Amino acid sequence: MTEAQSSRTTRRGRIFPHIQWTEEHKAQKRAEDENFHQRCQLIFDRVKPEVIETHYNWYMVVEPESGDYFIDQDEEVAMKVARQKHPGTIPLFLFRINDTGVSGTI
């Protein structure tokens, strides 16, 4: 029996070689992300003492521009409600209402 040979060539390298970020652009993006996280963290730290007793391990979605936050037991529901209230706002931050605020596993 003969084996079929593939005419497909294996490509190695970047998926999008035309996108090349400079170190300055990477540093700027990191600084913007850190600034966004700090703004959200301030809101979370302000609200956490009030809700940690009644909503432990629930999820909180924060929209830092308005200061709004949305709490639900299900992270998808909390995110959906936040997106309905603030359509078009892409950056939202998800916290878990616990001692650390981390919502995922590391």
Side-chain angles (χ1 to χ4, degrees):
M1 195 170 217
T2 61
E3 300 247 345
Q5 292 185 350
S6 174
S7 62
R8 187 173 163 187
T9 59
T10 304
R11 296 184 193 175
R12 307 238 184 254
R14 296 182 58 89
I15 296 174
F16 300 107
H18 59 282
I19 299 175
Q20 299 289 328
W21 285 12
T22 63
E23 289 302 318
E24 293 83 23
H25 190 269
K26 291 178 192 177
Q28 179 185 4
K29 180 67 174 150
R30 273 188 236 108
E32 289 172 0
D33 289 347
E34 182 61 28
N35 181 22
F36 176 74
H37 177 261
Q38 291 301 322
R39 291 183 5 234
C40 294
Q41 186 73 43
L42 287 173
I43 296 168
F44 177 71
D45 289 341
R46 179 180 43 118
V47 174
K48 183 173 86 168
E50 302 168 12
V51 296
I52 196 164
E53 297 296 324
T54 58
H55 297 91
Y56 191 79
N57 270 341
W58 284 34
Y59 295 94
M60 176 189 290
V61 177
V62 175
E63 199 284 315
E65 299 301 322
S66 65
D68 290 345
Y69 58 91
F70 306 90
I71 299 173
D72 199 279
Q73 215 168 3
D74 184 6
E75 64 181 303
E76 292 179 13
V77 173
M79 193 64 79
K80 182 179 178 182
V81 171
R83 292 201 188 282
Q84 286 175 351
K85 175 82 185 216
H86 297 282
T89 304
I90 299 298
L92 298 170
F93 205 91
L94 178 74
F95 291 98
R96 189 143 193 186
I97 303 172
N98 56 25
D99 300 325
T100 62
V102 176
S103 63
T105 56
I106 298 175

